[in-house]
Amino acid sequence: MNEVKRKGKAAKQVSYSLGNLSTEAKNEALEKIAVQLIKDKEFLLQENKKDLEEGRRTGLSDAVLDRILLTEKRIEDMAGGIRLLIGLKDPIGETLETIEKENGLLIQKKRVPIGVIGMIYEARPNVTVDAATLSLKTGNAVILRGSSSATFSNSALIQSIHQALESTEIPLDAVQLIEDTSRETAKELFHLNEYIDVLIPRGGKNLIETVVRESTVPVLETGAGNCHVFVDESADPAMTEQIVLNGKTQRPSVCNAIETILIHETWFDRHGEALLQALVKSGVEIIGDQLVCDALPAAKKATEEDWYTEYLSLTVSVKVVKSVEDAISHINKYGTKHSEAIITENSENASIFLNNVDAAAVYHNASTRFTDGFEFGYGAEIGISTQKLHARGPMGLNALTSSKYFIYGNGQIRK
Amino acid sequence: MNEVKRKGKAAKQVSYSLGNLSTEAKNEALEKIAVQLIKDKEFLLQENKKDLEEGRRTGLSDAVLDRILLTEKRIEDMAGGIRLLIGLKDPIGETLETIEKENGLLIQKKRVPIGVIGMIYEARPNVTVDAATLSLKTGNAVILRGSSSATFSNSALIQSIHQALESTEIPLDAVQLIEDTSRETAKELFHLNEYIDVLIPRGGKNLIETVVRESTVPVLETGAGNCHVFVDESADPAMTEQIVLNGKTQRPSVCNAIETILIHETWFDRHGEALLQALVKSGVEIIGDQLVCDALPAAKKATEEDWYTEYLSLTVSVKVVKSVEDAISHINKYGTKHSEAIITENSENASIFLNNVDAAAVYHNASTRFTDGFEFGYGAEIGISTQKLHARGPMGLNALTSSKYFIYGNGQIRK
């Protein structure tokens, strides 16, 4: 039996009992992991250095190297994150529904772990710790398949985690790392339906698309965000500038940043140029339709491809539209169902927009940057789901749970 | 553009607005469909006859022909089912969560339709009506892909449904049937991620496995039931006989029927033979391990394959085990995560069993036959999910819904 199958089987084996761990036992184990990571700081930095050296040697970009990099601060942040997680309510065991039947049958729907979670991710070693601790808190076993660019770091982190678990009642097989980071092991995970209950890809668009396309194991898709803001006819100009600049420039590299601005033609005539100038002043490159290019000669002409593009940088595409309906059609065609905003003083238009735009989060007069598990008060975030089944939008701990019907009788049979 | 793509696109197009239909509008349309089906009874029976004749000509089994068969009574039952559906609470628009942020942002998580549902099913024309009306009630567009053995019946039913929808505000594209029932159209549906949000296969094991394996569109798996009952050391013999006979013989062809009986060795020594005799008396064929064959010479010896088998008939496999832990291991290895029961007077063993068996529904001292949307009081049933994401166990209307965050602000931006 090869590594993936062997580890999958072991994970499934221990998963049945992890749902019975007490909250105290899980939190104690989490605290031990936090302590161990700090204790092992030197070792972790030293192993991380090997990944960085190898990365430099093979010509990884500075951006990727920064994602791989561990620092004292980053390790302390990991431990801090674990302590926040300890403070969160344990979702397992919660009674979701109680049905009492006339024949005396008591039916209780309770929250239980999903079972075995497979995590496929790129670069960032902090995902190793995130996934391990979130899975542990929710009573799930986890199989981690990181990227080859972070093997030394990931192995070291798992060593630390296992060291911490040694003195707990939690079996080490609850958290396992696939050491072989060849393409084959990822492919095997895609089809390990026997042992894995859900796969969660974390990383770039290509990784996510590959997992969704190839996996027969159910996937939790945490996806891309081609987010729009629609500036309606009656939008307040000052509020518009604030929200648009926040959405585009506060942190352009994240999935809830704005990628396209749609502007009502009447508003554009009056305030369009001022808004475009404000964006330029903030260092934003404008790609626009003909009207936008006419108003701002520095703008580049948009291609069809641009409307689909998640720039993740200080670039934005801008289009003038005739109505809220036009804006909705554009968004439902080009968007990725993540976060979409309307700025308007017209409450009817707001309602039409919010009801007809198909996205995980729809905003009236606020920045799309709020789509975030922490901002929503969930205290943890597995990712932001852009799919419609199981979980949609920011996923907290509940997204890592399933349910189970417990039925108590005293001999009832069906007539 | 071919039929599947064209209909997929049309479904997606109308789906955006179906979520805004009022409960009244949806219920009125449902009532019109019920009336129309009764009105078209003769036409439906006549078209159904064509399928039956073709089926006989091509040598379909009597069981399959019975599934295809429409009768006056069956058409009246369809209309009756629709009227029950009208009486159910509309899940769309329900507020699932309200978060008020200090900065004044109001976040509401509301229940919304999934969007476009693709239904792939075999034989039974009543699925056409079920799927159409359940989708309509939950504001989803639906694309139906029935089997070639029921094309005349399905086309006729869709004509009736469209006729009823003509006089409503609901666009006909909300309910579409793929007329081409070649394998190619099913395959196309598997990969129509652009237009279809979820695929639901209804039918035999092969169909479901094919859809799960091949589809890149997310699948709601309504699966097989290899259900067990474990008779513990302290099980009451009279209660045991009642529950076992009910589970095996009340309706052997359904997924919540019992397929394997596991018996504690001590109990087997005292009461095993009597239980086996009671089963034989009820016409049940016994396939057992060595101890069972020794006690009942008429029993056939079980092979490894038997423990995996969902007989769906008056056949049961019986195995003697040493402990509740043995029973749990057997079930978690051979079961299909559907419904599992323990009969015991020992509450600790009951608790160990319920907590460690991995299944959608776990029973203490009651028949597995209760796993059913109607028995649970959901008033409708899409199927029984044996997967862990999105929905598990009997699925009512809520399983056909997703959620969406509505966020109301007055200019909030992220700091």
Side-chain angles (χ1 to χ4, degrees), chain A residues 262-283:
Chain A
L262 302 169
I263 306 180
H264 190 284
E265 54 183 7
T266 315
W267 196 94
F268 185 78
D269 284 345
R270 281 186 233 140
H271 315 286
E273 217 183 306
L275 181 65
L276 296 175
Q277 293 296 353
L279 282 161
V280 170
K281 222 180 183 173
S282 298

Side-chain angles (χ1 to χ4, degrees), chain A residues 12-13 16-17 20 97 99 101 103 105 107 109 112-116 193-194 197-198 212-216 218-220 239 242-243 246 250 256 329 332-333 337 353-367 369-372 374-378 387-394 399 401-415, chain B residues 12-13 16-17 20 97 99 101 103 105 107 109 112-116 193-194 197-198 212-216 218-220 239 242-243 246 250 256 329 332-333 337 353-367 369-372 374-378 387-394 399 401-415:
Chain A
K12 180 53 92 181
Q13 203 51 48
Y16 298 122
S17 64
N20 304 327
E97 218 177 311
I99 305 162
K101 299 273 296 172
N103 63 5
L105 223 48
I107 303 172
K109 185 177 182 179
V112 299
I114 290 179
V116 179
N193 297 57
E194 194 182 353
D197 295 293
V198 61
V212 169
R213 191 177 57 244
E214 297 197 9
S215 176
T216 51
V219 175
L220 266 189
M239 188 195 286
Q242 227 182 353
I243 291 177
N246 187 251
Q250 197 238 0
N256 57 18
S329 298
N332 285 342
K333 179 170 180 190
K337 302 184 171 46
F353 184 91
L354 300 188
N355 285 319
N356 290 282
V357 161
D358 188 19
V362 286
Y363 291 82
H364 177 207
N365 290 348
S367 169
R369 288 279 295 111
F370 287 108
T371 304
D372 177 287
F374 295 95
E375 288 293 328
F376 279 22
Y378 295 160
Q387 66 184 27
K388 291 184 173 183
L389 297 189
H390 188 66
R392 195 177 194 198
T401 70
S402 181
S403 65
K404 181 172 171 182
Y405 289 97
F406 289 74
I407 298 132
Y408 304 93
N410 46 23
Q412 283 84 350
I413 58 169
R414 187 146 167 204
K415 309 282 176 196
Chain B
K12 180 54 91 181
Q13 203 52 47
Y16 298 122
S17 64
N20 304 327
E97 216 178 310
I99 305 161
K101 299 274 295 173
N103 63 5
L105 222 49
I107 304 172
K109 185 178 183 179
V112 299
I114 290 179
V116 179
N193 296 57
E194 193 182 355
D197 295 293
V198 61
V212 169
R213 191 178 55 244
E214 296 197 11
S215 176
T216 51
V219 175
L220 265 189
M239 187 195 285
Q242 228 183 353
I243 291 177
N246 187 251
Q250 198 238 1
N256 57 18
S329 298
N332 284 343
K333 177 169 180 190
K337 301 184 170 47
F353 184 91
L354 300 187
N355 285 320
N356 290 284
V357 161
D358 188 20
V362 286
Y363 291 82
H364 177 205
N365 290 347
S367 169
R369 288 279 295 111
F370 287 107
T371 305
D372 177 288
F374 296 94
E375 289 293 329
F376 280 22
Y378 295 160
Q387 66 184 27
K388 292 186 173 180
L389 297 189
H390 189 64
R392 194 178 195 197
T401 69
S402 181
S403 64
K404 181 171 169 181
Y405 288 98
F406 290 74
I407 297 132
Y408 305 94
N410 47 23
Q412 284 83 350
I413 57 169
R414 187 147 168 204
K415 309 283 177 195

Side-chain angles (χ1 to χ4, degrees), chain A residues 196-393:
Chain A
I196 298 185
D197 295 293
V198 61
L199 273 183
I200 308 179
R202 286 286 295 271
K205 208 178 154 202
N206 284 343
L207 172 73
I208 292 168
E209 283 179 1
T210 305
V211 177
V212 169
R213 191 177 57 244
E214 297 197 9
S215 176
T216 51
V217 175
V219 175
L220 266 189
E221 190 175 348
T222 61
N226 182 16
C227 305
H228 302 71
V229 59
F230 168 53
V231 183
D232 194 19
E233 191 171 5
S234 64
D236 177 83
M239 188 195 286
T240 301
E241 186 177 316
Q242 227 182 353
I243 291 177
V244 166
L245 287 178
N246 187 251
K248 183 67 257 180
T249 68
Q250 197 238 0
R251 206 172 160 203
S253 66
V254 291
C255 60
N256 57 18
I258 288 172
E259 306 294 358
T260 297
I261 308 168
L262 302 169
I263 306 180
H264 190 284
E265 54 183 7
T266 315
W267 196 94
F268 185 78
D269 284 345
R270 281 186 233 140
H271 315 286
E273 217 183 306
L275 181 65
L276 296 175
Q277 293 296 353
L279 282 161
V280 170
K281 222 180 183 173
S282 298
V284 178
E285 183 196 15
I286 312 275
I287 295 177
D289 65 6
Q290 194 55 55
L291 285 170
V292 170
C293 291
D294 290 347
L296 184 82
K300 277 194 204 154
K301 187 75 195 296
T303 63
E304 173 72 4
E305 193 50 32
D306 279 306
W307 310 121
Y308 284 109
T309 303
E310 190 187 5
Y311 300 107
L312 295 172
S313 65
L314 283 176
T315 301
V316 76
S317 53
V318 184
K319 188 182 185 184
V320 178
V321 297
K322 287 190 188 310
S323 63
V324 63
E325 287 77 16
D326 271 10
I328 293 167
S329 298
H330 180 98
I331 292 170
N332 285 342
K333 179 170 180 190
Y334 298 100
T336 55
K337 302 184 171 46
H338 193 296
S339 300
E340 307 293 350
I342 180 173
I343 310 176
T344 188
E345 297 300 308
N346 180 328
S347 62
E348 201 186 329
N349 281 1
S351 157
I352 292 172
F353 184 91
L354 300 188
N355 285 319
N356 290 282
V357 161
D358 188 19
V362 286
Y363 291 82
H364 177 207
N365 290 348
S367 169
T368 56
R369 288 279 295 111
F370 287 108
T371 304
D372 177 287
F374 295 95
E375 288 293 328
F376 279 22
Y378 295 160
E381 188 187 277
I382 321 300
I384 295 171
S385 161
T386 52
Q387 66 184 27
K388 291 184 173 183
L389 297 189
H390 188 66
R392 195 177 194 198

Side-chain angles (χ1 to χ4, degrees), chain A residues 1 4-14 143 192 195:
Chain A
M1 205 180 269
V4 173
K5 229 172 169 178
R6 185 166 44 78
K7 291 189 172 172
K9 191 175 180 182
K12 180 53 92 181
Q13 203 51 48
V14 300
I143 294 184
L192 210 60
Y195 301 129

